[in-house]
Amino acid sequence: MSSSGEEDNPTEHMLEDNHKDVEEGSKSDEHSVLVNTSDEEKKYCKHNIGRRKSIAICISMILVIVCIFFIIIFGYNSDSEGITARLHSGTYSKKTCVNFDYGCCEIYDQCKVVTTNGHEHMDYKTINLDVYVTYAHDSIKSNCVSLRDIVNHYNLVYGRDDCGKYGCCPSINIGCDDVLHYHINDGNNGGLVNKYLENRTTLMPIKVPKNNTEGTNCWNKGGFISGIYHFTNKYEHGYPIPDDSWSFLPYILTAIGLWCFIAVACKRN
């Protein structure tokens, strides 16, 4: 007869089996949690990486647009004599009025009558036109355009028969250039003074419609280039079309912003 200590105890076996089952179940649960956590972390990381890429692309596009904008602005607002630089003898150089036998073509501005030693004559300022566009071919500058010529062409390109709701931009006084351009070669003397006094107010209509009540698009308003330089700049650039070439910029920026918003929203989903 076997002793009671040597006999197998079924209760102990049951307890041991239950303990093993609990341990195995616990390990299985832990493994499942780890796998689920790992999957969630991967999804989270991929989601964040996608968002960061989208944001980086948007920022890069905005920076590129801003850079292009400023490059164009500064190029557009360059001094007329320095717009074009040519490569010469391995160094950058630009031609100026002194590089031509008869100098630059000029627009006359700020005329006034002065008296020197009892004799009246005209005093004035000149605006040199870009020598890469035009320059004087002879001593009397017979080929040079006048402000009247430039404004006439300006009206042909940008003008309208009907200026619409806000009316046309204001007229410009071309009296100074008109007199000196056509009569300066006769001598700067009393005759020129009299001619100027007779014609110093010569208004040319500008047929460009105002874009608002203030006419902020007009030649006489502040901005990068205004006054006579507004017209000479258009002449030197070949009267670019459209005149309000910057008006489309807000639409482009809006489209880019909308594209970025959609891209980020899609990444989130």
Short mmCIF file of all heavy atoms in Angstrom, two decimals, residues 167-205:
data_model
loop_
_atom_site.label_atom_id
_atom_site.label_comp_id
_atom_site.label_asym_id
_atom_site.label_seq_id
_atom_site.Cartn_x
_atom_site.Cartn_y
_atom_site.Cartn_z
N GLY A 167 -14.09 106.56 -64.60
CA GLY A 167 -13.50 107.54 -65.50
C GLY A 167 -12.05 107.23 -65.85
O GLY A 167 -11.49 106.21 -65.45
N CYS A 168 -11.43 108.14 -66.61
CA CYS A 168 -10.06 107.94 -67.07
C CYS A 168 -9.05 108.49 -66.07
O CYS A 168 -9.36 109.34 -65.24
CB CYS A 168 -9.85 108.64 -68.41
SG CYS A 168 -10.82 107.96 -69.77
N CYS A 169 -7.84 108.01 -66.19
CA CYS A 169 -6.73 108.57 -65.41
C CYS A 169 -6.51 110.02 -65.86
O CYS A 169 -6.86 110.39 -66.98
CB CYS A 169 -5.46 107.76 -65.64
SG CYS A 169 -5.50 106.11 -64.90
N PRO A 170 -5.94 110.85 -64.98
CA PRO A 170 -5.77 112.27 -65.32
C PRO A 170 -4.82 112.50 -66.49
O PRO A 170 -3.95 111.68 -66.78
CB PRO A 170 -5.21 112.87 -64.03
CG PRO A 170 -4.61 111.74 -63.28
CD PRO A 170 -5.44 110.54 -63.63
N SER A 171 -5.01 113.61 -67.16
CA SER A 171 -4.13 114.00 -68.28
C SER A 171 -2.74 114.32 -67.75
O SER A 171 -2.54 114.61 -66.57
CB SER A 171 -4.71 115.20 -69.01
OG SER A 171 -5.99 114.91 -69.53
N ILE A 172 -1.76 114.30 -68.63
CA ILE A 172 -0.39 114.64 -68.27
C ILE A 172 0.06 115.86 -69.05
O ILE A 172 -0.26 116.01 -70.25
CB ILE A 172 0.57 113.46 -68.53
CG1 ILE A 172 2.00 113.82 -68.07
CG2 ILE A 172 0.54 113.02 -69.98
CD1 ILE A 172 2.98 112.67 -68.11
N ASN A 173 0.77 116.75 -68.38
CA ASN A 173 1.29 117.95 -69.02
C ASN A 173 2.62 117.63 -69.70
O ASN A 173 3.61 117.32 -69.03
CB ASN A 173 1.48 119.05 -67.97
CG ASN A 173 1.90 120.37 -68.60
OD1 ASN A 173 1.97 120.50 -69.82
ND2 ASN A 173 2.18 121.36 -67.77
N ILE A 174 2.64 117.71 -71.02
CA ILE A 174 3.86 117.41 -71.77
C ILE A 174 4.52 118.69 -72.30
O ILE A 174 5.42 118.63 -73.14
CB ILE A 174 3.56 116.46 -72.95
CG1 ILE A 174 2.62 117.15 -73.95
CG2 ILE A 174 2.97 115.15 -72.46
CD1 ILE A 174 2.52 116.41 -75.27
N GLY A 175 4.07 119.86 -71.80
CA GLY A 175 4.54 121.14 -72.33
C GLY A 175 6.04 121.30 -72.33
O GLY A 175 6.63 121.76 -73.32
N CYS A 176 6.71 120.91 -71.25
CA CYS A 176 8.17 121.08 -71.14
C CYS A 176 8.88 120.29 -72.23
O CYS A 176 9.69 120.84 -73.00
CB CYS A 176 8.65 120.64 -69.76
SG CYS A 176 10.44 120.70 -69.54
N ASP A 177 8.58 119.00 -72.32
CA ASP A 177 9.26 118.17 -73.32
C ASP A 177 8.85 118.56 -74.73
O ASP A 177 9.68 118.54 -75.65
CB ASP A 177 8.94 116.69 -73.09
CG ASP A 177 9.67 115.79 -74.06
OD1 ASP A 177 10.88 115.57 -73.87
OD2 ASP A 177 9.03 115.32 -75.03
N ASP A 178 7.58 118.91 -74.92
CA ASP A 178 7.09 119.26 -76.25
C ASP A 178 7.87 120.44 -76.84
O ASP A 178 8.26 120.43 -78.01
CB ASP A 178 5.60 119.61 -76.18
CG ASP A 178 4.79 118.90 -77.27
OD1 ASP A 178 5.20 117.79 -77.68
OD2 ASP A 178 3.77 119.46 -77.71
N VAL A 179 8.09 121.46 -76.03
CA VAL A 179 8.79 122.65 -76.51
C VAL A 179 10.27 122.37 -76.73
O VAL A 179 10.83 122.66 -77.80
CB VAL A 179 8.61 123.81 -75.51
CG1 VAL A 179 9.52 124.99 -75.88
CG2 VAL A 179 7.15 124.26 -75.48
N LEU A 180 10.92 121.77 -75.72
CA LEU A 180 12.37 121.56 -75.84
C LEU A 180 12.73 120.49 -76.87
O LEU A 180 13.74 120.63 -77.57
CB LEU A 180 12.98 121.22 -74.48
CG LEU A 180 13.45 122.43 -73.67
CD1 LEU A 180 12.28 123.31 -73.28
CD2 LEU A 180 14.22 122.00 -72.43
N HIS A 181 11.93 119.46 -76.96
CA HIS A 181 12.24 118.39 -77.91
C HIS A 181 12.25 118.91 -79.34
O HIS A 181 13.12 118.52 -80.15
CB HIS A 181 11.20 117.26 -77.78
CG HIS A 181 11.46 116.11 -78.70
ND1 HIS A 181 12.28 115.04 -78.36
CD2 HIS A 181 11.01 115.83 -79.96
CE1 HIS A 181 12.32 114.19 -79.35
NE2 HIS A 181 11.56 114.63 -80.34
N TYR A 182 11.31 119.79 -79.67
CA TYR A 182 11.18 120.25 -81.04
C TYR A 182 11.88 121.59 -81.33
O TYR A 182 12.03 121.97 -82.49
CB TYR A 182 9.70 120.37 -81.41
CG TYR A 182 8.98 119.04 -81.40
CD1 TYR A 182 8.08 118.72 -80.38
CD2 TYR A 182 9.23 118.09 -82.39
CE1 TYR A 182 7.42 117.49 -80.36
CE2 TYR A 182 8.58 116.86 -82.38
CZ TYR A 182 7.69 116.56 -81.36
OH TYR A 182 7.05 115.33 -81.34
N HIS A 183 12.33 122.29 -80.26
CA HIS A 183 12.89 123.63 -80.49
C HIS A 183 14.23 123.89 -79.83
O HIS A 183 14.82 124.94 -80.06
CB HIS A 183 11.88 124.70 -80.02
CG HIS A 183 10.54 124.62 -80.69
ND1 HIS A 183 10.34 125.06 -81.98
CD2 HIS A 183 9.34 124.13 -80.26
CE1 HIS A 183 9.07 124.86 -82.33
NE2 HIS A 183 8.44 124.30 -81.29
N ILE A 184 14.75 122.97 -79.03
CA ILE A 184 16.01 123.20 -78.34
C ILE A 184 17.17 123.38 -79.32
O ILE A 184 18.13 124.11 -79.05
CB ILE A 184 16.33 122.05 -77.35
CG1 ILE A 184 17.53 122.39 -76.48
CG2 ILE A 184 16.57 120.75 -78.09
CD1 ILE A 184 17.31 123.48 -75.49
N ASN A 185 17.07 122.76 -80.50
CA ASN A 185 18.15 122.88 -81.48
C ASN A 185 18.20 124.26 -82.14
O ASN A 185 19.19 124.60 -82.81
CB ASN A 185 18.01 121.81 -82.57
CG ASN A 185 18.25 120.41 -82.02
OD1 ASN A 185 19.17 120.19 -81.24
ND2 ASN A 185 17.40 119.46 -82.42
N ASP A 186 17.16 125.07 -81.91
CA ASP A 186 17.17 126.44 -82.42
C ASP A 186 17.93 127.38 -81.48
O ASP A 186 18.12 128.56 -81.81
CB ASP A 186 15.73 126.95 -82.58
CG ASP A 186 14.94 126.13 -83.60
OD1 ASP A 186 15.59 125.57 -84.52
OD2 ASP A 186 13.70 126.03 -83.47
N GLY A 187 18.34 126.87 -80.36
CA GLY A 187 19.10 127.68 -79.41
C GLY A 187 18.32 127.91 -78.12
O GLY A 187 17.10 128.10 -78.15
N ASN A 188 19.05 127.89 -77.00
CA ASN A 188 18.44 128.15 -75.70
C ASN A 188 18.52 129.64 -75.42
O ASN A 188 19.45 130.13 -74.79
CB ASN A 188 19.14 127.33 -74.61
CG ASN A 188 18.39 127.35 -73.29
OD1 ASN A 188 17.44 128.13 -73.12
ND2 ASN A 188 18.81 126.52 -72.36
N ASN A 189 17.52 130.36 -75.89
CA ASN A 189 17.56 131.82 -75.82
C ASN A 189 16.15 132.35 -75.56
O ASN A 189 15.23 131.60 -75.20
CB ASN A 189 18.12 132.38 -77.12
CG ASN A 189 17.48 131.75 -78.35
OD1 ASN A 189 16.27 131.47 -78.35
ND2 ASN A 189 18.27 131.53 -79.40
N GLY A 190 15.97 133.65 -75.80
CA GLY A 190 14.68 134.27 -75.56
C GLY A 190 13.57 133.69 -76.41
O GLY A 190 12.41 133.60 -75.97
N GLY A 191 13.92 133.25 -77.62
CA GLY A 191 12.93 132.65 -78.49
C GLY A 191 12.38 131.35 -77.89
O GLY A 191 11.17 131.09 -77.95
N LEU A 192 13.26 130.56 -77.32
CA LEU A 192 12.83 129.31 -76.69
C LEU A 192 11.99 129.60 -75.45
O LEU A 192 10.99 128.91 -75.19
CB LEU A 192 14.05 128.46 -76.31
CG LEU A 192 13.75 127.06 -75.76
CD1 LEU A 192 13.06 126.19 -76.82
CD2 LEU A 192 15.04 126.38 -75.28
N VAL A 193 12.38 130.63 -74.72
CA VAL A 193 11.62 131.02 -73.53
C VAL A 193 10.20 131.41 -73.92
O VAL A 193 9.22 130.98 -73.29
CB VAL A 193 12.32 132.18 -72.79
CG1 VAL A 193 11.41 132.76 -71.71
CG2 VAL A 193 13.64 131.69 -72.17
N ASN A 194 10.06 132.23 -74.95
CA ASN A 194 8.73 132.65 -75.39
C ASN A 194 7.88 131.47 -75.85
O ASN A 194 6.68 131.40 -75.57
CB ASN A 194 8.85 133.68 -76.53
CG ASN A 194 9.44 134.99 -76.06
OD1 ASN A 194 9.32 135.36 -74.87
ND2 ASN A 194 10.09 135.73 -76.97
N LYS A 195 8.53 130.55 -76.57
CA LYS A 195 7.81 129.37 -77.04
C LYS A 195 7.32 128.54 -75.85
O LYS A 195 6.19 128.01 -75.87
CB LYS A 195 8.73 128.53 -77.93
CG LYS A 195 8.09 127.30 -78.53
CD LYS A 195 7.02 127.63 -79.55
CE LYS A 195 7.63 128.23 -80.82
NZ LYS A 195 6.58 128.43 -81.87
N TYR A 196 8.16 128.44 -74.83
CA TYR A 196 7.78 127.68 -73.64
C TYR A 196 6.62 128.36 -72.91
O TYR A 196 5.66 127.70 -72.50
CB TYR A 196 8.97 127.51 -72.71
CG TYR A 196 8.58 126.92 -71.37
CD1 TYR A 196 8.19 125.60 -71.25
CD2 TYR A 196 8.58 127.73 -70.22
CE1 TYR A 196 7.81 125.07 -70.03
CE2 TYR A 196 8.21 127.21 -68.99
CZ TYR A 196 7.82 125.89 -68.90
OH TYR A 196 7.43 125.37 -67.68
N LEU A 197 6.71 129.67 -72.74
CA LEU A 197 5.66 130.39 -72.02
C LEU A 197 4.31 130.28 -72.74
O LEU A 197 3.26 130.29 -72.11
CB LEU A 197 6.06 131.86 -71.86
CG LEU A 197 7.27 132.11 -70.94
CD1 LEU A 197 7.63 133.60 -70.93
CD2 LEU A 197 7.00 131.62 -69.52
N GLU A 198 4.36 130.15 -74.05
CA GLU A 198 3.12 130.02 -74.83
C GLU A 198 2.53 128.60 -74.72
O GLU A 198 1.31 128.43 -74.85
CB GLU A 198 3.39 130.33 -76.31
CG GLU A 198 3.74 131.79 -76.58
CD GLU A 198 4.24 132.00 -78.00
OE1 GLU A 198 4.21 131.00 -78.79
OE2 GLU A 198 4.64 133.13 -78.34
N ASN A 199 3.39 127.62 -74.52
CA ASN A 199 2.93 126.22 -74.60
C ASN A 199 3.28 125.40 -73.35
O ASN A 199 3.26 124.16 -73.41
CB ASN A 199 3.56 125.55 -75.82
CG ASN A 199 3.22 126.24 -77.11
OD1 ASN A 199 2.15 126.04 -77.68
ND2 ASN A 199 4.13 127.08 -77.59
N ARG A 200 3.56 126.05 -72.24
CA ARG A 200 4.02 125.30 -71.07
C ARG A 200 2.95 124.39 -70.48
O ARG A 200 3.26 123.43 -69.77
CB ARG A 200 4.53 126.25 -69.99
CG ARG A 200 3.53 127.28 -69.51
CD ARG A 200 4.21 128.21 -68.54
NE ARG A 200 3.37 129.36 -68.20
CZ ARG A 200 3.78 130.36 -67.43
NH1 ARG A 200 5.01 130.33 -66.91
NH2 ARG A 200 2.98 131.37 -67.16
N THR A 201 1.69 124.71 -70.76
CA THR A 201 0.60 123.81 -70.32
C THR A 201 0.00 123.16 -71.56
O THR A 201 -0.86 123.73 -72.23
CB THR A 201 -0.47 124.57 -69.53
OG1 THR A 201 0.13 125.21 -68.41
CG2 THR A 201 -1.56 123.61 -69.05
N THR A 202 0.49 121.97 -71.86
CA THR A 202 -0.01 121.19 -72.99
C THR A 202 -0.43 119.84 -72.45
O THR A 202 0.41 118.97 -72.17
CB THR A 202 1.07 121.02 -74.08
OG1 THR A 202 1.54 122.32 -74.50
CG2 THR A 202 0.52 120.26 -75.28
N LEU A 203 -1.72 119.67 -72.27
CA LEU A 203 -2.23 118.45 -71.64
C LEU A 203 -2.56 117.39 -72.67
O LEU A 203 -3.21 117.66 -73.68
CB LEU A 203 -3.46 118.77 -70.80
CG LEU A 203 -3.26 119.74 -69.63
CD1 LEU A 203 -4.60 120.01 -68.94
CD2 LEU A 203 -2.25 119.18 -68.63
N MET A 204 -2.11 116.18 -72.39
CA MET A 204 -2.48 115.03 -73.21
C MET A 204 -3.38 114.12 -72.39
O MET A 204 -3.03 113.73 -71.26
CB MET A 204 -1.24 114.24 -73.65
CG MET A 204 -0.53 114.83 -74.85
SD MET A 204 0.63 113.64 -75.58
CE MET A 204 -0.49 112.50 -76.40
N PRO A 205 -4.56 113.76 -72.91
CA PRO A 205 -5.46 112.88 -72.16
C PRO A 205 -4.87 111.47 -72.06
O PRO A 205 -4.21 110.98 -72.97
CB PRO A 205 -6.73 112.88 -72.99
CG PRO A 205 -6.28 113.22 -74.37
CD PRO A 205 -5.11 114.14 -74.22
#
